[in-house]
Amino acid sequence: MRMNEYWNPFYKKMRYVVVLLVIGWFLLVPIAQVSYAKTATAPIQMLADVGFQTFYDPREWTPIRISFFNGTARAVNGNLVMPIADNKAYPYAGTFHWSVRIPIGTSTMTLGLPGALLVKGQVATLYVQGQAMTSIRISGVPVNNAEIAGVISDHQDAIQFLAGVSSVQNTSQLVAAYVPPDQVPVKATLLSGLSYLYVDGKSATLLSQQQIVAILRWVQLGGVLILGGLEPNAGQVGGFVAASPVSGKIVVDSSGQSLANWLGMNTPPGGTVPLLYGAATSKATVLIGSRSQAILATSSYGRGQVAYLGVQADSSSMVSWVGNASFWNALLPLLDRQDLSTRSDLFGQNGLWTMMNAAELFPQIKMPPLWIFAVIFIIYVLMAGPLIYVFLRKMRKNELAWIFLPGLSIVFAVVIYLSGNAGRPNGILSQNVGLVDIVDPHLASIVAMQALMSPQMRSYEEIALPNSWLVPLSDRVSTSLAQSNLTSLIGVSPTISFQKVRAWGGRFAYAMRNVQHFGALSGQLFTSSHSIGGYVTNTTKADFSNLALLINGHAYPLGALRSGASLNVSVLVKSMSKSTFDTDLANAFSSATHGVGRSLYAYLRTYAHAEIPKGYVMVIGWTHEDPNVFLPQNIKIPAESQWIVRQLMPLTKVVQ
């Protein structure tokens, strides 16, 4: 009995303890789970990869690969926002917006930005439901005085074969950049910062169809592609087959003496060098080997070139060869086509700045007629002088002159103001200038600048056609980050909205676009001795007010040419001439010798000494037909558009 009496109170106490423990379990476990979830779930993180192995050309579009890590339990929708400070990147101004959807785990998106915008670095912030989640600095290594050669490979050591190779354009060293296959952009515009691109067969098999199409489009616009490798060679893979100047057939082990002979050297690569021989196409130029057994050959592809190299360039025998750097120093100048690139110096002095200077000249802004102000002034003088004097003297109220004269001045001041205000444009003044570079009847590259200005409206919007690349620009007076916004969506119409624009403040929309239905100039041109003859037919939709041939730094006028019409050509080429290129331009393009047109001459000057391929001649046209890159918005008062169109046409030599 005593034992039971002792334990009964103990059990009663334990029951309370157990109840408390159970309650504590249900209360503390959820709190612990929430705490664990907060520590175990990583926030959304971002990494940025700029250009090609951080290298980029400030004059061109630069690819920006943003990698996201989403550690939450669901996909996230947000906005990637990058404000541009005017004092850091004039004339770029405003805020860039990209809508993003970030799935669970790791994902990547590729953006495009002007290289000049990144020279001093920029900061992008991810916003989710209006809250800033994370930020990242976007910066790379600008390459100003050298060329960038991309090497597509699955291993980073592949770029070693370009060590010690000089840049073609100057005496600096060529910058070699490693490009993994999964980082090759699917848009040709984002490859424009590269001068050369090398890909071997193994890496080519890892490329998607979209990537191959982008590479070939980039070549058409002026790039240089080198197809290398053995079994397979890149020229034997997918879409590269049709562009390759050689069809690889058989691999033969050799000493590589043919490579040394091409350089005039006696020392071949060490060891055995496998070579992939093949049959050259009819348009190929064979550099090493024969047409039936070619090892190295080139051919034109649009504005660019494609080279076939039947050797593994990054093999140990080639990289260790004493003549390796000399081999590439001899080959690259033969392939260089930068003078004919469709987007030379896109964001430099002869690109963006020249077009801004031309576009900001608004010829539709006219001064009010001076006779109106002269009449108002004469009436004011008559009323303020003899008329008021006679009137007050007749009323014998001369002391009222102190009231009449100020009142009369106020009335005429209002009249002058209203007269001037009535003459102000009611809407947005716009001026379009640009360059159309025709590659072939199915491809043309358009660079357009539209200037906007209004004396009355303070906000307006600009929308470009789908698949355009659009940049907002501002005049020097702009100071606020919020004055312009760019919604940049690849594949969708990009939109610029300008707000809080000061009266008469200039805003600019700079757009790039590749089109497939612009048309081309066709016909036949022949040259013999010191003359060029034949005919040119205009199959574009544009009427040319002036057309000219550019030969050896001189411009030869051909006259006007309407859409669908033909023009007979008969030009006597000057062997020795003292006339300057500017004088030739003024004679050839008489419809654009002042104002906007003359400001665009800087573009034409870059063509004066371009290395035109043998068997071709450059034709330059001047048109006032707008290719309609921008969609109409708001009330606009457009000025006459000013566009330069250029194309290379075959020139057949006739032996007399």
Side-chain angles (χ1 to χ4, degrees):
M1 291 294 294
R2 291 182 178 179
M3 289 293 293
N4 291 337
E5 291 176 358
Y6 175 80
W7 284 105
N8 282 338
F10 174 77
Y11 285 130
K12 290 180 179 179
K13 294 179 179 179
M14 287 299 296
R15 282 185 297 178
Y16 293 118
V17 172
V18 171
V19 172
L20 291 174
L21 288 175
V22 172
I23 294 173
W25 172 266
F26 285 103
L27 290 176
L28 295 176
V29 167
I31 297 175
Q33 289 177 339
V34 172
S35 177
Y36 174 78
K38 287 183 177 181
T39 57
T41 302
I44 297 178
Q45 299 177 359
M46 292 192 302
L47 293 174
D49 184 15
V50 177
F52 303 94
Q53 205 175 2
T54 72
F55 298 111
Y56 68 91
D57 187 343
R59 302 172 302 171
E60 302 289 349
W61 284 95
T62 300
I64 313 294
R65 286 170 295 278
I66 307 292
S67 299
F68 298 95
F69 176 76
N70 181 3
T72 65
R74 60 183 178 84
V76 174
N77 294 320
N79 286 301
L80 192 62
V81 179
M82 189 176 72
I84 308 300
D86 295 7
N87 59 347
K88 293 180 63 177
Y90 170 77
Y92 307 96
T95 305
F96 287 66
H97 295 260
W98 294 274
S99 298
V100 296
R101 179 174 176 81
I102 307 173
I104 300 173
T106 302
S107 60
T108 303
M109 69 178 296
T110 302
L111 311 174
L113 288 173
L117 188 60
L118 303 173
V119 172
K120 294 185 179 180
Q122 301 295 336
V123 176
T125 302
L126 176 65
Y127 287 86
V128 177
Q129 295 181 350
Q131 299 294 321
M133 296 291 293
T134 182
S135 297
I136 190 170
R137 182 173 177 81
I138 300 177
S139 63
V141 181
V143 178
N144 293 298
N145 297 313
E147 296 165 310
I148 304 175
V151 178
I152 302 176
S153 178
D154 58 355
H155 60 284
Q156 192 167 350
D157 294 339
I159 64 174
Q160 291 183 357
F161 72 90
L162 291 177
V165 178
S166 300
S167 178
V168 173
Q169 299 297 327
N170 47 62
T171 58
S172 64
Q173 187 171 343
L174 183 74
V175 176
Y178 163 64
V179 184
D182 61 343
Q183 291 188 10
V184 176
V186 296
K187 298 290 183 179
T189 301
L190 297 182
L191 290 166
S192 59
L194 296 175
S195 297
Y196 310 96
L197 188 61
Y198 172 89
V199 58
D200 60 26
K202 181 180 178 182
S203 300
T205 60
L206 302 177
L207 298 175
S208 67
Q209 183 62 27
Q210 279 185 305
Q211 290 173 315
I212 293 177
V213 170
I215 292 173
L216 294 177
R217 178 61 56 85
W218 166 76
V219 178
Q220 286 181 295
L221 296 173
V224 175
L225 175 64
I226 303 173
L227 304 171
L230 302 167
E231 295 183 314
N233 181 279
Q236 298 173 309
V237 177
F240 293 133
V241 175
S244 177
V246 174
S247 177
K249 298 297 183 182
I250 185 173
V251 176
V252 177
D253 291 336
S254 72
S255 63
Q257 186 61 50
S258 57
L259 303 178
N261 291 342
W262 184 64
L263 292 176
M265 296 179 59
N266 295 323
T267 307
T272 301
V273 180
L275 299 176
L276 178 59
Y277 290 88
T281 63
S282 59
K283 295 182 179 180
T285 300
V286 178
L287 301 179
I288 300 179
S290 61
R291 302 204 67 83
S292 60
Q293 293 184 328
I295 302 172
L296 176 62
T298 65
S299 64
S300 296
Y301 193 78
R303 287 287 177 82
Q305 279 199 334
V306 178
Y308 169 90
L309 178 61
V311 67
Q312 190 69 32
D314 60 343
S315 64
S316 58
S317 57
M318 289 294 294
V319 172
S320 61
W321 179 32
V322 66
N324 180 72
S326 299
F327 176 83
W328 290 101
N329 282 329
L331 175 60
L332 295 185
L334 299 177
L335 304 175
D336 181 66
R337 303 293 291 275
Q338 293 305 301
D339 285 336
L340 297 176
S341 174
T342 59
R343 291 174 179 172
S344 177
D345 199 19
L346 190 61
F347 295 104
Q349 188 62 42
N350 290 328
L352 179 145
W353 293 101
T354 295
M355 297 186 72
M356 276 190 69
N357 292 335
E360 67 182 358
L361 300 174
F362 289 87
Q364 71 269 50
I365 300 179
K366 299 179 180 179
M367 292 293 294
L370 294 179
W371 66 266
I372 295 179
F373 296 100
V375 170
I376 294 175
F377 179 74
I378 292 172
I379 294 175
Y380 172 76
V381 171
L382 291 175
M383 292 187 67
L387 292 180
I388 286 183
Y389 175 78
V390 172
F391 176 74
L392 294 179
R393 182 176 181 82
K394 185 176 182 180
M395 294 180 60
R396 298 182 179 181
K397 297 287 185 179
N398 292 340
E399 64 275 10
L400 294 180
W402 295 103
I403 298 176
F404 275 90
L405 286 176
L408 190 64
S409 299
I410 293 174
V411 170
F412 273 87
V414 171
V415 170
I416 292 174
Y417 173 79
L418 293 176
S419 300
N421 189 62
R424 291 199 308 174
N426 184 22
I428 301 174
L429 303 176
S430 67
Q431 172 71 66
N432 283 5
V433 299
L435 168 69
V436 179
D437 217 331
I438 300 175
V439 177
D440 56 47
H442 306 291
L443 178 62
S445 175
I446 297 179
V447 180
M449 178 76 76
Q450 183 172 74
L452 303 167
M453 182 172 62
S454 177
Q456 298 175 349
M457 301 183 67
R458 296 295 179 267
S459 62
Y460 27 88
E461 189 176 64
E462 195 64 67
I463 301 177
L465 291 174
N467 296 312
S468 299
W469 299 80
L470 192 60
V471 183
L473 305 172
S474 180
D475 60 9
R476 294 181 182 272
V477 186
S478 176
T479 57
S480 172
L481 291 177
Q483 286 192 342
S484 62
N485 293 287
L486 170 67
T487 302
S488 179
L489 301 173
I490 295 178
V492 184
S493 298
T495 303
I496 295 177
S497 58
F498 297 100
Q499 300 93 22
K500 300 179 182 179
V501 182
R502 67 182 180 87
W504 301 104
R507 294 294 183 270
F508 303 86
Y510 192 34
M512 276 63 67
R513 175 176 168 79
N514 295 327
V515 297
Q516 299 178 354
H517 306 291
F518 186 82
L521 296 171
S522 61
Q524 291 183 334
L525 295 176
F526 305 94
T527 178
S528 62
S529 185
H530 298 293
S531 65
I532 294 178
Y535 70 94
V536 175
T537 301
N538 181 7
T539 63
T540 73
K541 296 180 181 180
D543 294 334
F544 294 107
S545 57
N546 295 108
L547 204 68
L549 298 179
L550 264 62
I551 307 171
N552 300 327
H554 292 282
Y556 299 90
L558 300 180
L561 181 60
R562 299 182 62 84
S563 176
S566 296
L567 177 70
N568 291 325
V569 176
S570 180
V571 171
L572 183 63
V573 180
K574 307 170 186 176
S575 57
M576 295 293 292
S577 176
K578 296 182 180 180
S579 64
T580 64
F581 188 61
D582 284 353
T583 302
D584 289 343
L585 289 179
N587 294 330
F589 301 106
S590 57
S591 65
T593 56
H594 61 279
V596 178
R598 192 162 188 82
S599 298
L600 287 176
Y601 275 3
Y603 247 138
L604 296 179
R605 289 191 189 100
T606 62
Y607 304 154
H609 303 289
E611 295 183 7
I612 300 174
K614 186 177 180 181
Y616 287 87
V617 64
M618 185 179 293
V619 183
I620 302 291
W622 201 285
T623 180
H624 306 290
E625 304 286 339
D626 194 337
N628 297 320
V629 176
F630 304 100
L631 298 176
Q633 301 293 317
N634 307 113
I635 303 173
K636 288 187 179 177
I637 306 173
E640 188 177 46
S641 299
Q642 304 280 349
W643 288 82
I644 300 172
V645 180
R646 78 166 181 170
Q647 180 183 336
L648 293 181
M649 292 189 64
L651 183 63
T652 304
K653 188 173 183 178
V654 178
V655 179
Q656 292 182 335

